[in-house]
Amino acid sequence: MLILAVVAGLLFVLGGVMTGLFVTTSGDLSRAEKQVSERDGTIAANATEIEKLTAELQTVRDELDDTEQDLTGTRNDRDEQARQKKVIANCLDKLTTALGAAAAGNRAAYDKATQGMEKVCDEAENYL
C-alpha cells in the first residue's frame, strides 16, 4: 500500500507538472500565433502598399515618356521653324542684294544675286 501511495503521489505530482507545462506551452503558443498573425497582417499591408506604389511608379513613368515625346516634338518643331526662318532670311537677303544691284544699275551684281533666288524664294513662300 505504501508503494501504491508513493506511486500515486508521484503520478499526482507528475500530472501537476505536466499540467503546468501544458498551460505554459499553450500560452506561449497563443502568443506566438498572435505574433505570426500580426506579422502576416503587416506583410499583407506592405504587399498592398508595394503594389500601389508600383502602379503609381508606372503611371509616373508613362507620364514621363509622354512628356519626353512632347519635348522631342517641340524641339523638332523649333528646329524646323529655325530652318524655315533661315530660308526666308536667305530669300530676303538675296532679294535685297538683287534690288540694291538693280537700283545701282550693276547688271553683273544683279545676275549674281538672282542666281538660285527663285528656288530659295519659292521654298520661303511655302512658309509664309
Side-chain angles (χ1 to χ4, degrees):
M1 180 87 164
L2 182 61
I3 293 178
L4 188 59
V6 172
V7 170
L10 285 175
L11 285 176
F12 181 74
V13 171
L14 182 63
V17 169
M18 293 305 281
T19 302
L21 286 175
F22 175 76
V23 170
T24 303
T25 304
S26 177
D28 290 345
L29 179 62
S30 294
R31 276 184 257 122
E33 286 175 345
K34 183 179 177 183
Q35 286 178 342
V36 168
S37 176
E38 289 173 358
R39 287 181 184 162
D40 285 346
T42 302
I43 290 170
N46 288 344
T48 303
E49 183 70 17
I50 288 171
E51 288 175 8
K52 177 185 167 195
L53 292 175
T54 302
E56 289 177 7
L57 177 61
Q58 186 59 45
T59 302
V60 170
R61 284 181 177 163
D62 292 343
E63 289 175 0
L64 179 60
D65 288 343
D66 291 344
T67 302
E68 287 176 349
Q69 287 177 352
D70 290 347
L71 179 60
T72 300
T74 302
R75 285 181 182 157
N76 291 341
D77 288 346
R78 181 200 63 205
D79 293 345
E80 177 60 21
Q81 287 178 354
R83 189 190 70 74
Q84 290 174 4
K85 286 179 183 179
K86 285 181 183 178
V87 169
I88 293 169
N90 191 14
C91 173
L92 291 175
D93 185 45
K94 286 185 177 287
L95 185 60
T96 304
T97 304
L99 289 175
N106 187 346
R107 180 73 179 174
Y110 175 80
D111 290 340
K112 183 178 179 185
T114 57
Q115 285 179 345
M117 184 173 73
E118 186 175 330
K119 179 182 175 189
V120 172
C121 288
D122 285 345
E123 185 179 353
E125 188 176 332
N126 292 333
Y127 304 139
L128 295 176

